[in-house]
Amino acid sequence: MTESLPEETAIPQFSLDAFSLAGRTAIVSGGSDGIGRMIAHGFADAGANVVIAARGVEKIENVVAEIKSKGHAVLGVPTDVTDPDAVRALVERAIERFGQVDVLMNVVGGSQGPTFKRGPLLELTKHDFNEAFNINVTSAFLCSQAVVPHMLERGGGVIINMASVGARDYRLPETGMSVYNMTKASVMHLTRSMAKEWAPTIRVNCINAGHFITPRRARTEHPDRRARSLAEIEIGRFGRPEDIAGAAVFIASDAGAFFNGSYLDLHGGT
């Protein structure tokens, strides 16, 4: 089927309403903290019903309370997003509460966590390697696999995966971050495969985040390393919550309707 071309004399039309997520439902994995929390607020402020999935019940409750205080609809579902049964239950809860899922934002991930460490390659165990892949890649695969049949049946949907500028081939690997960067490169390739397989019904894209100061980073990062990170950023500041929220809302909304199978580097210039 050939799409008809617009008349050359037609005046282009654009409305800021294209950025609205009103009437849509978005699941944010890892939405209880850090970048995920920022994005959950952004989606809610743009009008979406938001479903927050994470392991920590207390943190989920805190963010749910924050979003409710602004008058937005939100649901918190404690979920281990590396467990297929838990992920299926998450999607079912979202549909039961809001009737649909239009956006999936896969944020869960990290360079280290309660179940694995980061460090030089010779200091890592097989468990560290496998668990880093499980948290950063398998979680995105399982959440997407669970929600896609629903999106296909409804005739549309958007998936956004969170990667990192550390995965890009123009950056030299930093000692201690090699496995993390490898997993995020895998997320980038997974994004492209998803976009190819599920188009044109579902758009799939990836955000490669640069240096954002999250609560975890503020607690654990040495001041010297933070200073080096800041020196790399051409605009002279770290990423702010509104920077990542704005990017995610753009991709999820009709304003990003032609953005598919792509990667958005969000790093302030490095």
Side-chain angles (χ1 to χ4, degrees):
M1 178 178 167
T2 303
E3 183 177 1
S4 60
L5 297 176
E7 294 288 339
E8 291 185 6
T9 56
I11 299 174
Q13 300 292 323
F14 180 76
S15 169
L16 290 177
D17 291 341
F19 288 94
S20 173
L21 296 179
R24 303 181 193 185
T25 297
I27 295 176
V28 183
S29 81
S32 67
D33 199 5
I35 285 176
R37 173 175 169 266
M38 302 174 192
I39 292 172
H41 274 274
F43 283 165
D45 291 341
N49 307 314
V50 177
V51 180
I52 296 172
R55 288 181 175 178
V57 175
E58 183 177 353
K59 286 185 176 181
I60 290 177
E61 291 176 346
N62 290 340
V63 179
V64 166
E66 291 172 358
I67 293 175
K68 279 185 175 179
S69 72
K70 296 192 287 187
H72 302 315
V74 59
L75 171 67
V77 183
T79 309
D80 177 357
V81 292
T82 65
D83 178 346
D85 293 334
V87 171
R88 284 191 291 269
L90 162 68
V91 175
E92 290 171 1
R93 284 282 308 279
I95 295 171
E96 179 183 359
R97 172 69 179 275
F98 296 115
Q100 63 198 58
V101 176
D102 305 281
V103 180
L104 169 64
M105 181 81 218
N106 288 311
V107 182
V108 164
S111 61
Q112 59 185 336
T115 60
F116 68 104
K117 65 179 182 292
R118 73 182 180 205
L121 292 172
L122 290 180
E123 297 178 8
L124 300 180
T125 66
K126 179 182 178 181
H127 173 81
D128 293 324
F129 186 96
N130 288 343
E131 187 66 0
F133 193 90
N134 195 36
I135 296 296
N136 289 307
V137 186
T138 304
S139 61
F141 166 72
L142 291 176
C143 288
S144 300
Q145 190 180 56
V147 80
V148 161
H150 170 73
M151 289 181 172
L152 291 174
E153 183 178 356
R154 292 194 70 247
V158 178
I159 296 173
I160 308 171
N161 296 320
M162 181 60 63
S164 167
V165 294
R168 300 291 271 159
D169 56 9
Y170 59 77
R171 295 177 63 87
L172 294 174
E174 179 182 357
T175 299
M177 298 294 288
S178 297
V179 172
Y180 173 75
N181 290 343
M182 175 275 296
T183 63
K184 290 304 186 180
S186 296
V187 170
M188 291 177 63
H189 284 275
L190 182 62
T191 295
R192 191 68 191 93
S193 296
M194 289 176 171
K196 181 68 174 178
E197 288 195 20
W198 299 329
T201 308
I202 299 171
R203 292 191 294 111
V204 188
N205 293 285
C206 184
I207 296 176
N208 295 323
H211 294 296
F212 285 77
I213 300 299
T214 63
R216 180 191 299 177
R217 184 170 184 176
R219 291 192 306 268
T220 62
E221 186 174 49
H222 192 280
D224 289 345
R225 186 176 188 276
R226 186 174 304 173
R228 291 197 303 272
S229 297
L230 181 59
E232 294 177 356
I233 307 172
E234 292 165 6
I235 66 171
R237 67 168 176 84
F238 290 105
R240 297 170 180 158
E242 58 267 29
D243 297 322
I244 196 96
V249 168
F250 158 68
I251 296 173
S253 71
D254 290 344
F258 201 58
F259 194 66
N260 184 54
S262 298
Y263 318 114
L264 178 60
D265 288 352
L266 194 65
H267 51 47
T270 60

